[in-house]
Amino acid sequence: MKANESLSPLTQNSKQKSNNKTNIEFDVINALYDISSLINTTEDPHLALEFIIDKLMDLLPANSASISLIRIESNLLEIEVSKGLPKAVTQHSMPLGIGITGRVALNGVAINCPDVSTEARYLSISKKVKSEMAVPLKEQGVITGVINIDSYDRNAFSKADLKVLTLLANEAGKVVSKIWLVKQLKTKADQLQALIGLSQKMITKLKLEEVLETIANEGRSILNGHLAAIYLFDENDKKLSLSILTGKKGRINHRETLNLDESSLGYAFNKNKQVEVTDILKTEESHFISLQNRAKLRSMICTPITFEDKVIGLFNIYTDKIRLFNNDEKLILETLASMGAVTIQNTLLYSKVFSTEEHLRKNEKLTTLGILSAEIAHEIRNPLTVIKLLFDAMGLSFGDDDPRTKDISIISEKLKQLESIVSRVLDFGKNDKEIKSNVFINELIEDVGQLVRLKLAQSNIELSYSLPSKELAINASKGQLQQVFLNLIINATEAMPHGGKIRFEIDEKDDNCIIQISDTGTGIPKNIHTQIFDSFLSAKEHGTGLGLSIVKRILRSHNGDIELINSSKKGTVFSVKLPLEKEAY
């Protein structure tokens, strides 16, 4: 045939088909190359899947496409990326075996459906779709998802198109698998770096609350959890107590205690075993009920915090979506719990050392005070003896109706009490041989009021009583109990620099005499409420911090006690309890 001779129509069609076939093959090869190159161009599996969707849409006669992945924790198909589908459709999950996509995911066999209206098991996602192809996406022979191609025309896809889609899906599965692997390795590296950073952070923490908050925040962040909680075991109550709860916005103010037979937390504690709850809503978890509903918590993993084979607490991570924690994540939680256990024990040990040191300081002060007191008592005894002798020699005497008669009696009694105190200080360490006798509480309180009447009048303070009609007697040292109530009245007076009221209310309860002392003063600082009976603790500028400590010691030596009922800017209330002398009533 000459060069200028034209081709017959049949020959031209044959050549055109050959060229089209060559072009398609070329496009397929380019698509395969581009997909295989993804491993070098991106580390994000989601971006890789979006790129694959675009390539498929360009290569095949499709109007929409999607890639669905099988979620291991729920065994459902969820659309990961799509193009041309309604947004509402992409948010739905699909069980395996349902519809064309579900059948491919379950059986692993590619399907070309030329007319979806004739397929009884077809699950419609768009009324426009008339034909569909679906092929499995595999990772090392395991089905991980499905690639779908849809068309608005019937018989849109040929057998060759199905082969092309299968070929591209096989390559896509390999590439995405490698990208997932790279991402997992990077995630593990980040998690390892986070663990190293956490260990460095915890070294600097000395307070238990700071340690717990650091562990919870870091654990929640590393595992991308919604909430994190740490429970510690209370040896006294034998219960789990929530010590810290944190979320993405910081600490959450929530408190609760759990018995060891409640929920999966008790099981994890008793068995010293990590427990995972995939769907909280399908269980009978008895903790965080209100918080579960509010925060929409779905999954939980609970890890025991163990120190020397003994469970001391639990570390929990919660998610707001159904999630199955993998083995690496479980191992990270166990590592965090182990690090936390050591740090918690170190913090508690530091706290004990600090407390012991404070105790030693107090003992040192008490020893010094004892020596100083003995020296002072020795110096006081001589002039006190002279005063007592001179007072007795004066022979003062007044009429029975003269109030000075009562004053002389009190002065004489107080001189004897001072002499007794000096002797006790000098005999410190010996058995207390002071004689106790029956003391009528009404008379004792009235005598104390007599002693301070002038000071109260000068301070514009009103003293009132609510005394029982029946005489209540206690076996006690009258002088020491007077010292108790004098201390309490003086403290109340100092809290009312501009005047006020002090009231004594006496009652009988369970063979005890209850004396309640209230004032209208400025109150005791809240931060020292639990320590006010400790030695050398004082909120006063010139206070010694011994007054209430001595009061407590005296009352306990009488088998009694004192308690702070309440204290605020409106006043303070103390309650004194002393056992009644049974023979007196």
Side-chain angles (χ1 to χ4, degrees), residues 9 24 35 74 79 102 163 203 256 264 279 342 351 378 393 456 551 581:
I24 291 172
I35 291 173
S74 60
I79 295 177
K163 287 181 180 180
I203 289 173
E256 73 171 16
S264 56
D279 192 348
V342 173
S351 177
H378 186 271
L456 295 180
V551 165
E581 181 64 21

Side-chain angles (χ1 to χ4, degrees), residues 171-190:
E171 187 62 26
K174 295 174 186 177
V175 171
V176 173
S177 172
K178 291 178 181 177
I179 294 174
W180 276 112
L181 181 60
V182 170
K183 184 177 181 180
Q184 288 172 355
L185 290 173
K186 191 174 183 304
T187 300
K188 287 181 183 179
D190 292 340

Side-chain angles (χ1 to χ4, degrees), residues 27-45:
D27 290 341
V28 171
I29 291 170
N30 278 340
L32 285 170
Y33 175 79
D34 290 340
I35 291 173
S36 64
S37 298
L38 284 170
I39 190 68
N40 300 317
T41 57
T42 182
E43 294 180 353
D44 189 336

Side-chain angles (χ1 to χ4, degrees), residues 85-120:
L85 292 178
K87 186 177 180 181
V89 173
T90 63
Q91 296 175 345
H92 290 171
S93 300
M94 183 186 300
L96 302 186
I98 303 298
I100 292 175
T101 307
R103 284 166 56 198
V104 172
L106 184 64
N107 301 321
V109 178
I111 293 177
N112 182 2
C113 183
D115 188 352
V116 296
S117 64
T118 63
E119 176 57 61

Side-chain angles (χ1 to χ4, degrees), residues 381-438:
R381 183 170 59 177
N382 290 337
L384 180 62
T385 302
V386 172
I387 292 171
K388 186 174 182 302
L389 290 171
L390 291 175
F391 178 76
D392 291 341
M394 291 175 68
L396 296 175
S397 179
F398 301 97
D400 292 341
D401 297 333
D402 194 321
R404 288 176 294 179
T405 299
K406 180 70 173 177
D407 292 342
I408 289 171
S409 174
I410 291 173
I411 291 171
S412 177
E413 183 181 330
K414 291 306 163 188
L415 285 172
K416 291 178 181 177
Q417 186 180 343
L418 284 172
E419 191 175 38
S420 174
I421 291 172
V422 168
S423 297
R424 286 205 308 274
V425 172
L426 290 173
D427 293 337
F428 185 73
K430 299 179 182 179
N431 292 331
D432 186 8
K433 297 180 180 179
E434 183 171 359
I435 298 174
K436 295 179 180 179
S437 59
N438 282 356

Side-chain angles (χ1 to χ4, degrees), residues 144-162:
T144 58
V146 177
I147 298 180
N148 281 75
I149 296 292
D150 309 310
S151 175
Y152 298 161
D153 299 320
R154 290 182 177 84
N155 301 307
F157 307 113
S158 64
K159 290 181 179 180
D161 291 332
L162 185 62

